[in-house]
């Protein structure tokens, strides 16, 4: 536990969906806040109008909510530091940037895109680091006034002092130093009047009293710029923790091209939120033991930033599949019935109604054989409707010339039972095999093929009980009459 009460934030730019990397950042912030009785804040960084996507904020909030990451303050949950959408905070950023201009820590720049382009090319040609050449820093007050009055477009830049070392301690990476010589006089206020990410991010982290900035490694190179801004504004610098990159199994950066990256994709493929959260928690963190299966409350108890790795974390889909199966099996039967009902709409049985008792029996029979709830509809389709065909390989292996005749006898025995239990069906099969003078297996395999159309699955008597006596008898007779070798 840490001493102060932390305030952390997840600060996504709404791009249209929640990336699994974003989920990992949000989750670590959430776990850190919960573990240390702190506050988890959602701030939407939507100052890049070019990237604005309709409905993106709602999507993001829905995905976070689905994963169980409830925020203490944020859009729709206003705390003392709102609004939590940066586009609603524009006058705040302008005030601060003008204050920096007054103190000569920032300056107006009227350079055109063409001039910047020529300048950049010139520097690159000479092998230098492309940086703004501070051309507008030398403008006099009068020149600036004149240009502003004439309505000339401008940006405001931070005046970076060369020759300085900018250092900060990262909670995951240790001490990090940058020379200010490699840092551009970054734009703080853009020509459209919107702040840049750097300005808005620093102003808001300060005003929202953020104590720990926990974010992806891709922001590490922005951090010295932020440190300079904190210093220019005379503010205390928060603690930083940069999380390792997410990698594909071939160690390239996790990208859309290689597979699904949106939380929604995993949701629509039927992954359980508990499994996805568990999986994402392990992308860069371990408790230091072999434990891999976690519920959210256990993650909260075990999480600490000290145990986050520096090295990139490989996104291993097989592990996610395994965790999904584990989480599925850890659910109560009532929860499973609900999940199965929810997934009915996406199955080929959509529109039908099944009672809870029947679904319970089906779940009990199928659960050890599936990793995803929808697989019950797919792999256990014969529990809901008679098979339309019979597996050729099984026929080849298990069907003999006599199988049809044996099944007719078995059907008669099954038909004669009154309110049979699983044991009654088993007894009936034993009787039929005695009568026919054949081994049980001579009946069991054809029976399985008759009722399910396939060779594997739950116990054959469980299948018979689930589909019911009359249906079983029908299926047995149909198979007896139609299967030929
Ligand atoms: N808006 C940035 C993003 O999209 C936030 C980075 C940060 O947390 O500072 O991830």
């Amino acid at each position: 536990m840490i001493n102060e009460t932390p305030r952390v934030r997840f600060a996504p730019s709404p791009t249209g969906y929640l990336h699994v990397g974003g989920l990992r950042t949000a989750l670590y912030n959430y776990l850190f806040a919960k573990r240390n009785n702190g506050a988890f804040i959602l701030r939407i960084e939507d100052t890049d109008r070019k990237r604005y996507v309709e409905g993106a904020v709602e999507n993001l909030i829905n995905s976070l909510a689905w994963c169980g990451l409830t925020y203490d303050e944020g859009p729709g949950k206003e705390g003392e530091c709102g609004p939590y959408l940066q586009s609603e905070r524009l006058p705040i950023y302008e005030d601060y940037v003008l204050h920096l201009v007054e103190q000569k820590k920032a300056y107006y720049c009227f350079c055109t895109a063409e001039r910047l382009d020529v300048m950049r090319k010139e520097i690159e040609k000479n092998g230098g680091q492309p940086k703004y050449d501070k051309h507008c820093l030398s403008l006099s007050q009068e020149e600036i006034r004149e240009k502003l009055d004439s309505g000339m477009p401008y940006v405001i830049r931070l005046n970076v002092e060369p020759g300085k070392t900018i250092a900060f301690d990262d909670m995951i990476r240790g001490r990090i130093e940058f020379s200010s010589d490699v840092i551009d006089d970054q734009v703080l206020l853009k020509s459209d009047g919107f702040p840049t990410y750097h300005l808005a991010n620093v102003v808001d982290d300060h005003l929202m009293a953020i104590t720990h900035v926990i974010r992806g490694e891709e922001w590490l190179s922005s951090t010295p710029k932020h440190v300079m801004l904190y210093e220019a504004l005379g503010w205390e610098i928060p603690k930083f923790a940069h999380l390792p990159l997410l990698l594909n199994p071939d160690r390239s950066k996790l990208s859309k091209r290689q597979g699904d990256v949106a939380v929604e994709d995993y949701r629509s493929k039927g992954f359980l939120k508990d499994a996805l959260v568990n999986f994402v928690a392990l992308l860069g963190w371990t408790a230091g033991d072999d434990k891999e299966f976690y519920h959210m409350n256990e993650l909260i108890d075990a999480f600490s930033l000290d145990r986050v790795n520096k090295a990139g974390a490989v996104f291993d889909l097989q592990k996610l599949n395994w965790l999904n199966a584990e989480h599925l099996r850890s659910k109560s039967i009532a929860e499973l019935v609900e999940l199965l009902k929810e997934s009915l709409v996406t199955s080929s049985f959509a529109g039908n109604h099944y009672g809870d008792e029947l679904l319970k029996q089906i779940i009990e029979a199928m659960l050890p054989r599936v990793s995803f709830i929808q697989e019950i509809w797919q792999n256990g389709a014969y529990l809901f409707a008679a098979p339309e065909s019979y597996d050729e390989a099984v026929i080849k292996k298990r069907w003999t010339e006599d199988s049809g005749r044996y099944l007719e006898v078995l059907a008669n025995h099954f038909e004669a039972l009154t309110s049979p239990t699983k044991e009654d069906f088993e007894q009936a099969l034993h009787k039929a095999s005695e009568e026919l003078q054949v081994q049980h297996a001579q009946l069991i395999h054809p029976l399985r093929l008759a009722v399910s159309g396939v060779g594997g699955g739950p116990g054959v008597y469980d299948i018979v009980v689930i589909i019911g006596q009359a249906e079983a008898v029908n299926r047995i007779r149909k198979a007896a009459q139609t299967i030929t070798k």
Side-chain angles (χ1 to χ4, degrees):
M1 292 277 270
I2 54 167
N3 293 331
E4 61 188 321
T5 300
R7 285 176 61 83
V8 294
R9 76 334 183 248
F10 176 48
S13 299
T15 53
Y17 61 91
L18 178 59
H19 189 286
V20 282
L23 173 60
R24 200 263 316 255
T25 301
L27 178 63
Y28 284 16
N29 275 285
Y30 175 83
L31 295 175
F32 183 74
K34 294 286 151 201
R35 174 80 186 97
N36 298 293
N37 302 317
F40 172 57
I41 293 141
L42 175 65
R43 181 175 75 227
I44 304 294
E45 301 210 324
D46 58 347
T47 58
D48 189 347
R49 303 319 277 171
K50 290 194 289 296
R51 291 174 60 194
Y52 179 78
V53 181
E54 191 67 41
V57 176
E58 292 71 17
N59 255 343
L60 225 143
I61 292 176
N62 286 343
S63 291
L64 286 176
W66 179 69
C67 294
L69 303 187
T70 39
Y71 46 87
D72 302 303
E73 295 168 35
K77 215 172 188 181
E78 303 299 308
E80 281 172 16
C81 304
Y84 295 88
L85 254 68
Q86 289 188 328
S87 56
E88 293 174 5
R89 300 172 64 82
L90 300 185
I92 303 177
Y93 311 121
E94 199 178 356
D95 273 1
Y96 283 105
V97 87
L98 292 178
H99 174 71
L100 287 175
V101 172
E102 264 166 40
Q103 295 187 313
K104 305 228 175 313
K105 291 177 176 164
Y107 61 94
Y108 287 95
C109 169
F110 299 91
C111 289
T112 60
E114 292 73 37
R115 177 178 184 273
L116 293 177
D117 208 37
V118 172
M119 175 204 79
R120 216 171 279 128
K121 286 195 178 121
E122 193 61 27
I123 299 177
E124 273 169 6
K125 203 171 74 192
N126 300 325
Q129 172 107 10
K131 269 192 342 177
Y132 182 61
D133 58 3
K134 292 186 185 277
H135 177 77
C136 289
L137 186 58
S138 54
L139 292 175
S140 68
Q141 284 306 325
E142 293 70 47
E143 285 170 310
I144 295 171
R145 203 44 316 151
E146 231 170 71
K147 288 180 194 291
L148 289 177
D149 288 345
S150 73
M152 195 181 258
Y154 64 88
V155 299
I156 295 180
R157 292 181 181 274
L158 185 72
N159 185 12
V160 175
E161 220 181 297
K164 288 193 116 187
T165 301
I166 300 135
F168 56 92
D169 291 308
D170 186 277
M171 293 177 78
I172 296 166
R173 274 143 223 283
R175 185 100 182 138
I176 300 204
E177 293 189 353
F178 280 86
S179 157
S180 69
D181 293 345
V182 298
I183 295 170
D184 201 5
D185 277 6
Q186 60 195 281
V187 174
L188 302 177
L189 198 72
K190 297 181 279 186
S191 55
D192 62 2
F194 277 74
T196 53
Y197 154 68
H198 306 297
L199 176 68
N201 190 269
V202 164
V203 167
D204 285 347
D205 280 346
H206 174 74
L207 295 181
M208 295 182 182
I210 299 302
T211 55
H212 297 72
V213 169
I214 306 169
R215 62 184 168 202
E217 185 182 318
E218 60 274 29
W219 303 102
L220 188 62
S221 60
S222 296
T223 308
K225 300 181 183 178
H226 298 179
V227 169
M228 280 191 301
L229 258 171
Y230 280 106
E231 281 169 356
L233 289 158
W235 291 339
E236 196 185 325
I237 297 168
K239 294 196 171 63
F240 291 105
H242 288 91
L243 309 175
L245 289 177
L246 298 189
L247 307 175
N248 292 303
D250 67 2
R251 303 200 75 80
S252 58
K253 198 174 164 206
L254 188 71
S255 72
K256 246 186 187 166
R257 265 171 292 120
Q258 310 240 359
D260 295 321
V261 290
V263 167
E264 266 174 74
D265 295 336
Y266 290 94
R267 183 180 182 178
S268 63
K269 286 202 165 154
F271 284 93
L272 295 169
K273 61 173 186 226
D274 324 59
L276 187 63
V277 164
N278 185 165
F279 173 70
V280 163
L282 300 177
L283 291 172
W285 169 85
T286 104
D289 50 25
D290 293 338
K291 187 172 158 73
E292 294 202 290
F293 180 85
Y294 286 93
H295 288 296
M296 183 71 102
N297 55 350
E298 298 170 305
L299 286 172
I300 293 172
D301 284 346
F303 187 78
S304 85
L305 282 174
D306 328 332
R307 302 214 59 96
V308 174
N309 300 320
K310 276 198 273 257
V314 175
F315 197 91
D316 171 8
L317 256 185
Q318 270 178 359
K319 190 190 240 177
L320 176 56
N321 289 337
W322 171 75
L323 281 171
N324 205 71
E326 293 292 302
H327 278 276
L328 202 58
R329 290 192 235 300
S330 77
K331 299 224 170 269
S332 70
I333 188 78
E335 287 172 304
L336 291 165
V337 167
E338 282 319 303
L339 285 170
L340 189 58
K341 282 191 196 163
E342 277 168 31
S343 66
L344 172 63
V345 282
T346 58
S347 77
S348 51
F349 299 100
N352 293 343
H353 176 79
Y354 302 100
D356 286 11
E357 259 323 299
L358 175 70
L359 294 180
K360 270 187 202 165
Q361 285 180 26
I362 291 177
I363 290 166
E364 269 155 16
M366 291 299 291
L367 197 62
R369 293 167 178 82
V370 297
S371 300
F372 293 88
I373 200 85
Q374 316 83 283
E375 286 177 342
I376 294 185
W377 302 108
Q378 294 152 8
N379 305 355
Y382 51 81
L383 300 173
F384 304 96
E388 280 162 16
S389 61
Y390 304 98
D391 186 330
E392 285 298 331
V394 181
I395 295 178
K396 204 162 166 216
K397 189 160 167 211
R398 304 287 191 194
W399 196 263
T400 67
E401 283 181 347
D402 300 315
S403 297
R405 188 166 57 82
Y406 296 167
L407 281 188
E408 295 283 5
V409 173
L410 182 67
N412 294 340
H413 277 267
F414 276 12
E415 196 171 37
L417 299 168
T418 344
S419 311
T421 61
K422 182 170 151 180
E423 289 70 30
D424 296 334
F425 284 116
E426 190 170 359
Q427 285 306 319
L429 183 135
H430 292 181
K431 271 207 213 139
S433 72
E434 261 168 49
E435 188 182 314
L436 291 161
Q437 303 258 308
V438 296
Q439 292 191 331
H440 297 167
Q442 300 266 64
L443 288 176
I444 289 176
H445 295 302
L447 168 62
R448 176 181 286 286
L449 186 64
V451 291
S452 72
V454 292
V460 71
Y461 302 112
D462 290 320
I463 301 177
V464 170
V465 168
I466 289 168
I467 63 175
Q469 183 182 19
E471 176 69 11
V473 170
N474 284 342
R475 291 191 194 181
I476 296 168
R477 290 202 171 122
K478 185 175 171 210
Q481 287 149 25
T482 51
I483 301 179
T484 48
K485 205 164 176 172

